[in-house]
Amino acid sequence: MKEYAARYVMYNTAETWTGLSKFAATTIPVGDQAATAISYKNWKEAVICLYPGTEESTRYTVNELHQLVQDNFDLSACTLGTFWTYYRKFQKISRWLLQHGKIHANKERRLFQQGIPTLLWAKIARRLEILKLTHHPEDPYDVKDVYKAGNWHLKGTDTSLGIPRAKGILPVPTQPQAANNTVITNSYIKKEDMEAAISTKVASAMTQIETMINTQLSTPCTPNATNSLCHFCGKLGHTMSRGRCNTLEQYICLGRVRRGTDSKVVLSTGANIPNYPELKSYQERVDKWHRRNPSNVATGTLSGNANPDADQCV
């Protein structure tokens, strides 16, 4: 399992992990002490020690919770989306700090209230005063009660993250204006409408992709003759296929080349066309070979120097 885990990281990281002494299968015997097996768990603990801050005892700190409270107050949790995000992050950190005795319950409640913008907290406090008649004014409200009251006041606002605002000031909602008997609707977009629009767009895109794939599958794949390059004469617009290159057909009629049993173009002797590195097209290679072997125009018995060297064959 150690070898498999090291395959999913970058090479430098894998080299560091596999270089640990606990990566070996067993320990090195020292004196009378026998070698013992090293488990994957032991190696994992050694790897984790290479990265500060990954220890369970230092997962979250009180300073991180204070920073979250201050950041949220400055950015303003004035919509359902931003309020939910603040609540989730706060719960994740504060629950861990409570379980490990880093903070107490009253401090958790006071910090959660401090992160709520001023105007929104005033509305939440008025509602809680009505609901919690026996609550002592010096005691902070429970986090869940504050969360429920905040949801009640922010009902109907945007559920997305929203645009950050400065210094915890709750924006004043603008009233719809009517002009020429035209009613302006609420500027907030409902989550259901947004999801429906996204689903429609995705369905349309998938339909277009499916249509394109079916069209490509139904259309036969034909080579583009305009951009095709003939390897025999070296010209554009055709290939070496049978009957397409006029120069090749002329060479076949003259007996300078012929097609083998597999339709491969070979010399008139049946040998492969030699590979001269300085020449690009087969036509130039065939001409050079015939200049060196003028007696091998038509098919027949091979001469002593008819076959090219092995390193010259295509």
Side-chain angles (χ1 to χ4, degrees), residues 175-190:
Q175 297 295 332
Q177 299 178 357
N180 298 328
N181 297 329
T182 302
V183 179
I184 301 177
T185 59
N186 195 339
S187 59
Y188 292 117
I189 301 175
K190 291 185 178 181

Side-chain angles (χ1 to χ4, degrees), residues 8 25 29 31 50 111 114 170 191 210 243 251 260 275:
Y8 291 92
L50 298 175
L111 286 175
Q114 292 174 10
L170 187 67
K191 183 178 180 181
E210 184 178 356
Y251 270 56
N275 181 19

Side-chain angles (χ1 to χ4, degrees), residues 15-312:
E15 188 177 14
T16 303
W17 289 6
T18 56
L20 296 173
S21 59
K22 294 186 180 296
F23 184 77
T26 58
T27 59
I28 300 175
V30 179
D32 297 336
Q33 185 179 2
T36 58
I38 301 176
S39 64
Y40 171 80
K41 182 179 180 180
N42 300 134
W43 176 71
K44 179 182 176 181
E45 292 175 353
V47 171
I48 292 177
C49 291
L50 298 175
Y51 302 93
T54 56
E55 298 86 357
E56 182 64 24
S57 60
T58 58
R59 180 183 297 181
Y60 300 112
T61 62
V62 179
N63 289 336
E64 290 179 338
L65 188 61
H66 280 279
Q67 188 63 45
L68 173 64
V69 171
Q70 184 62 45
D71 291 344
N72 191 78
F73 182 81
D74 292 341
L75 295 178
S76 175
C78 55
T79 65
L80 274 178
T82 53
F83 190 61
W84 290 346
T85 302
Y86 170 58
Y87 176 74
R88 287 194 299 268
K89 292 181 178 180
F90 187 91
Q91 284 288 90
K92 179 178 65 175
I93 300 176
S94 64
R95 291 292 94 186
W96 188 90
L97 294 175
L98 283 171
Q99 292 174 3
H100 291 79
K102 304 291 185 179
I103 61 174
H104 51 80
N106 273 349
K107 184 171 182 179
E108 177 201 20
R109 297 169 183 172
R110 294 185 188 279
L111 286 175
F112 185 74
Q113 297 175 15
Q114 292 174 10
I116 300 176
T118 305
L119 296 180
L120 177 59
W121 171 244
K123 296 180 180 180
I124 293 175
R126 285 197 298 271
R127 178 168 177 80
L128 292 176
E129 289 174 358
I130 298 173
L131 297 177
K132 306 289 183 179
L133 297 177
T134 60
H135 183 83
H136 195 280
E138 293 184 357
D139 295 334
Y141 290 101
D142 188 74
V143 174
K144 291 184 178 180
D145 294 334
V146 176
Y147 177 66
K148 292 178 181 179
N151 285 335
W152 190 86
H153 277 289
L154 295 173
K155 187 181 301 182
T157 59
D158 191 6
T159 57
S160 62
L161 183 59
I163 302 175
R165 305 180 188 275
K167 300 300 179 184
I169 302 300
L170 187 67
V172 179
T174 56
Q175 297 295 332
Q177 299 178 357
N180 298 328
N181 297 329
T182 302
V183 179
I184 301 177
T185 59
N186 195 339
S187 59
Y188 292 117
I189 301 175
K190 291 185 178 181
K191 183 178 180 181
E192 294 79 5
D193 296 340
M194 184 179 295
E195 291 179 349
I198 294 174
S199 301
T200 304
K201 290 289 185 180
V202 171
S204 177
M206 293 299 296
T207 302
Q208 294 179 3
I209 293 174
E210 184 178 356
T211 303
M212 292 172 59
I213 294 175
N214 293 335
T215 303
Q216 292 178 358
L217 293 176
S218 60
T219 304
C221 182
T222 57
N224 189 352
T226 304
N227 298 327
S228 299
L229 175 66
C230 179
H231 294 289
F232 186 80
C233 65
K235 297 179 181 180
L236 292 172
H238 61 276
T239 61
M240 288 179 58
S241 301
R242 189 181 300 273
R244 293 184 178 272
C245 180
N246 295 331
T247 304
L248 175 58
E249 298 301 325
Q250 292 177 4
Y251 270 56
I252 294 176
C253 293
L254 295 174
R256 300 176 70 85
V257 295
R258 63 185 178 89
R259 292 187 182 272
T261 55
D262 55 352
S263 298
K264 181 180 179 180
V265 178
V266 296
L267 295 172
S268 57
T269 60
N272 292 328
I273 298 176
N275 181 19
Y276 300 112
E278 71 277 6
L279 302 177
K280 295 183 179 181
S281 66
Y282 289 161
Q283 180 184 0
E284 295 173 333
R285 300 175 187 179
V286 171
D287 292 340
K288 183 173 182 178
W289 183 85
H290 277 288
R291 287 195 297 271
R292 293 185 175 183
N293 305 274
S295 60
N296 292 278
V297 176
T299 57
T301 305
L302 299 178
S303 62
N305 60 351
N307 290 323
D309 297 336
D311 59 346
Q312 293 181 331

